[in-house]
Amino acid sequence: MTEHIITSNVSSLTSSDGHLTELDPFDLTDCAGDFAGDFDMDAANGDYYESCCEALAAVRPEWSLLKNAEVVGPVDSPDLSEDERETLGELFDTIDVTAILQRHTI
């Protein structure tokens, strides 16, 4: 099976605007704010990335989320339906960033 890039930025999957950002979508440093030094940010970012991978797999198990935020999948993959976009957005929104950070308190 041949794979291709579905999108170059995972954030475009949940927005009808397809807003792209140059920022790392898996970096929780801004969420931690002034307290970022209190956490193992590499581990927290890794856990957040894994949670995003699980969310994507729940909607499209044949797609893969790469660390650079690209989503790849089979060449013949249809685009996400509006319902799938909404579900994926909801799954991303339910990821408990606070709990992830707390697990990685230094």
Side-chain angles (χ1 to χ4, degrees):
M1 172 178 359
T2 304
E3 290 196 339
H4 76 289
I5 297 173
I6 303 295
T7 183
S8 61
N9 191 313
V10 67
S11 65
S12 69
L13 293 177
T14 58
S15 168
S16 58
D17 298 335
H19 69 336
L20 298 179
T21 177
E22 295 299 317
L23 301 174
D24 179 353
F26 310 118
D27 186 352
L28 298 179
T29 303
D30 285 345
C31 293
D34 293 339
F35 302 99
D38 295 342
F39 304 103
D40 178 348
M41 292 307 301
D42 289 336
N45 293 341
D47 276 5
Y48 182 66
Y49 165 73
E50 289 301 322
S51 294
C52 290
C53 289
E54 290 170 10
L56 180 63
V59 174
R60 284 292 177 92
E62 70 276 15
W63 288 3
S64 298
L65 177 57
L66 307 179
K67 282 278 196 176
N68 66 358
E70 287 182 348
V71 176
V72 296
V75 171
D76 59 349
S77 289
D79 291 337
L80 290 176
S81 68
E82 278 305 310
D83 286 343
E84 288 173 317
R85 282 181 182 274
E86 186 176 323
T87 299
L88 185 58
E90 289 170 0
L91 290 171
F92 284 153
D93 288 345
T94 61
I95 296 171
D96 192 345
V97 172
T98 302
I100 290 172
L101 289 169
Q102 288 176 342
R103 282 196 303 267
H104 299 289
T105 302
I106 296 175

